[in-house]
Amino acid sequence: MFAAFLQYLFSGLTSGAIYALAGLGFAIIYNASHVINFAQGEFIMIGGMASATLVAAGVPMPLAITLAMIISMAVGVALEKFAIEPARNADVVTIIIITIGASIFMRGAAQIIWDKEFHSLPAFSGEIPIAVLGATLMPQSLWVFGVAAVVIVALWWFFNRTMFGKAMLATSHNRLAAQLVGVGVKKVLLASFALSALLGAVGGIVVTPITFTNYEAGIMLGLKGFSAAVLGGLGNGGGAIVGGLIVGIAEALASGYLSSAYKDAIAFVIILFVLFFMPNGLFGKRGTDRV
């Protein structure tokens, strides 16, 4: 009984770490622009698909992973520059619709550039499972945990120890005040989309050896990342991390103890619960004082 619970917990934490990275992507863009970017899941798809196809073409894995991250960041910058920036004076709902349209466009482009088949990456350090108290843990799951932890620490350092990171934080709190003290808000917006795309790509790359990927892989991963962001408090980075882990564990337990048919429904149940009973999430929204 305990071994089964532990197995579900390991599965939930693995998924939850990916949702946390996706949720952080939502938080970063929301703080910088007050926009909910529903194309976030496609960055996960691009990272996974690009790295998998490059490795399949014979490119060494470290180089393929680096190129996949660069490609995803370039797509994020292009999304902000050619879709979001021209509509900067539009209302928030219009911009959200633009991100949904961008998501559909990216999936269509992925079908043309790649295909509709599933792709995978080889595991980073073998596929021999590790026995833990009767449960098994795949080495790739340790990579997911480790990479997610490193990314979270790096983000903390970036936002608290670098001038540009502090400029991004200042923009999230009060855009007009940041402009008045010389912060380049346009650069901040570009950087927020690039950083968000990088987070998505990293998540897609480390999870692809476990779950495979195809042109539609970003849909559910993006929605679950949004669920994590909403649960933690939209725009709250720490909340997105906690929310991602909660969503991952909740869906793993529901899948294990109830039915796998309920796995994808958990994220939507959480969104509805938060909207009705906890509109500000577990830790409260950020960016509500932004001008």
Side-chain angles (χ1 to χ4, degrees):
M1 190 70 176
F2 177 73
F5 170 77
L6 198 59
Q7 190 68 61
Y8 301 145
L9 183 63
F10 288 156
S11 175
L13 288 173
T14 302
S15 300
I18 302 302
Y19 304 157
L21 292 179
L24 280 171
F26 277 102
I28 289 170
I29 289 181
Y30 180 81
N31 281 338
S33 62
H34 234 217
V35 169
I36 299 173
N37 176 31
F38 282 106
Q40 182 63 33
E42 310 320 317
F43 298 144
I44 300 175
M45 176 271 293
I46 290 171
M49 290 289 281
S51 57
T53 50
L54 286 170
V55 168
V59 179
M61 186 179 289
L63 178 59
I65 289 173
T66 302
L67 290 174
M69 291 190 292
I70 292 172
I71 291 169
S72 187
M73 291 175 69
V75 172
V77 169
L79 173 62
E80 198 285 330
K81 190 68 178 177
F82 300 112
I84 304 302
E85 185 177 317
R88 60 183 177 273
N89 294 323
D91 58 79
V92 173
V93 174
T94 299
I95 297 178
I96 289 174
I97 292 172
I98 289 173
T99 68
I100 295 173
S103 173
I104 296 170
F105 174 80
M106 289 182 199
R107 289 200 296 276
Q111 292 182 64
I112 296 171
I113 296 171
W114 293 296
D115 51 42
K116 296 182 180 181
E117 304 300 320
F118 283 90
H119 298 264
S120 184
L121 279 171
F124 295 174
S125 54
E127 298 181 354
I128 300 174
I130 302 166
V132 182
L133 299 176
T136 57
L137 181 65
M138 298 302 294
Q140 189 64 33
S141 292
L142 296 178
W143 277 97
V144 173
F145 301 151
V147 169
V150 168
V151 168
I152 290 167
V153 171
L155 284 176
W156 179 89
W157 177 84
F158 174 73
F159 284 115
N160 291 278
R161 293 290 185 269
T162 69
M163 288 300 295
F164 196 79
K166 291 178 180 179
M168 291 181 72
L169 284 178
T171 303
S172 73
H173 287 293
N174 193 310
R175 182 171 179 172
L176 178 58
Q179 286 179 309
L180 291 175
V181 297
V183 173
V185 173
K186 287 187 178 181
K187 291 182 180 179
V188 166
L189 293 178
L190 279 173
S192 70
F193 273 82
L195 186 56
S196 177
L198 176 61
L199 290 175
V202 169
I205 290 166
V206 296
V207 80
T208 295
I210 300 174
T211 62
F212 298 94
T213 187
N214 75 338
Y215 76 100
E216 290 183 318
I219 298 175
M220 290 309 301
L221 289 172
L223 288 173
K224 291 174 183 179
F226 175 63
S227 177
V230 170
L231 177 59
L234 199 56
N236 190 310
I241 296 168
V242 174
L245 295 176
I246 291 174
V247 172
I249 292 171
E251 75 171 20
L253 293 178
S255 178
Y257 288 115
L258 298 176
S259 169
S260 59
Y262 297 113
K263 179 180 178 181
D264 290 334
I266 294 297
F268 299 103
V269 171
I270 289 174
I271 291 174
L272 289 175
F273 177 84
V274 172
L275 290 176
F276 280 109
F277 301 106
M278 301 170 59
N280 291 323
L282 293 173
F283 301 99
K285 292 183 180 180
R286 288 285 303 279
T288 52
D289 57 342
R290 178 180 167 276
V291 173

